[in-house]
Amino acid sequence: MKLIVGLGNPGKKYEDTRHNVGFHVIDQCAKNLNITLNQEKWKGLFGYETIGGEKVFLLKPLTYMNLSGEAVRPLIDFYKIEIDNVLVVYDDLDLPPGKIRLRQKGGHGGHNGIKSMLAHLGTENFKRIRVGIGRPEPGIAVANYVLSTFPPSEKQDVHESVQHAANACESWLSKDFLNVMNSFN
């Protein structure tokens, strides 16, 4: 079994914000893989299908970003998903819009959603796809920036990075993550 988690904030208010690119990647994966996100349980919205003989789960935590791990841990425990089979997709200030980076493990890098994941999973050994959202201009608070929408000049780059990240997720379903990293980084 594999689990792909996209981090974001629930609700219309946050739908198109920079912080929600993880949700957008999950939506694209759901479309590409024909998975319907129709189960709301354990503070998350998820769905799954059997692909290539393996159950593949897609999850959007409904806890708000800072508590994301609260939705992930119960699903992992109930379905007995190995941490090595968990991939988390989230926004990253250190990458420009349009860029993605895959990592096999790591710290939180100041990202509160990943801090929550680390706390609830008890390990940093889960796979990640970081989707670039860029840094704010001087004088703009990071909290305000991540909750802002992308300007028209960045929308095409972001759309392409969401597609690229979803393709990387799909590739991971049939390939070793190191190979996926080599192809997509």
Side-chain angles (χ1 to χ4, degrees), residues 4 22-38 45-49 51 56-60 162 165-167 169-170 173:
I4 303 169
F23 276 13
H24 294 293
V25 172
I26 291 299
D27 291 339
Q28 189 60 53
C29 286
K31 184 178 173 184
N32 293 354
L33 298 169
N34 255 345
I35 297 176
T36 304
L37 303 177
N38 60 359
L45 178 65
F46 69 98
Y48 65 90
E49 285 294 332
I51 299 171
V56 176
F57 291 82
L58 301 178
L59 170 65
K60 290 177 171 180
V162 166
N167 291 342
C169 291
E170 192 172 347
L173 300 180

Side-chain angles (χ1 to χ4, degrees), residues 14 19 29 62 66 81 95 106 108 115 166:
Y14 301 105
H19 231 9
C29 286
L62 299 178
N66 297 358
I81 299 169
L95 294 173
H108 57 75
K115 283 181 188 176

